[in-house]
Amino acid sequence: MSDESLQKDVLTELGDDRIQELAGELGTDADVARTVVGTTVSALPGTVGDGTLAGVLGRVTTPTAQTVSRQTGLPLASVTRALELLLPVVLSVIAKRRRSCPR
């Protein structure tokens, strides 16, 4: 699964309303919010699909927020709040993909 494909699926899952909500959390516009989605997907460790939701979120939020903040120039606190909205959607998309893939 490519980062680009996952990014597209996450953006679709978010929809315009939640992209606007994400942009509001970041204090920016929808285009920058979409960039944050792509940067976040790229920054997530490859093992993000393993483990419980709470465990995964706990392990990846801080390092992912730091990477996204560094790469986008957005404040770490804003990115951390935005990831609280975004990461569950990313994990939902990954779970849907895993269920639809034959083993």
Side-chain angles (χ1 to χ4, degrees):
M1 143 182 31
S2 73
D3 286 350
E4 187 175 315
S5 174
L6 180 58
Q7 175 185 344
K8 182 180 175 193
D9 287 350
V10 170
L11 288 169
T12 298
E13 184 79 16
L14 284 168
D16 291 338
D17 289 344
R18 289 173 80 190
I19 290 290
Q20 288 298 331
E21 183 180 349
L22 183 63
E25 285 293 331
L26 294 167
T28 190
D29 61 29
D31 289 336
V32 173
R34 287 182 186 90
T35 299
V36 168
V37 170
T39 305
T40 299
V41 168
S42 296
L44 290 171
T47 59
V48 76
D50 300 330
T52 65
L53 179 60
V56 170
L57 291 177
R59 285 193 310 271
V60 302
T61 299
T62 299
T64 301
Q66 291 169 338
T67 299
V68 172
S69 177
R70 190 172 43 254
Q71 290 182 359
T72 63
L74 294 167
L76 179 60
S78 296
V79 172
T80 301
R81 284 191 310 273
L83 291 186
E84 291 172 2
L85 170 89
L86 179 56
L87 288 177
V89 175
V90 172
L91 293 174
S92 173
V93 169
I94 290 170
K96 286 179 185 179
R97 286 178 165 205
R98 291 182 77 178
R99 284 191 301 268
S100 68
C101 291
R103 299 218 182 235

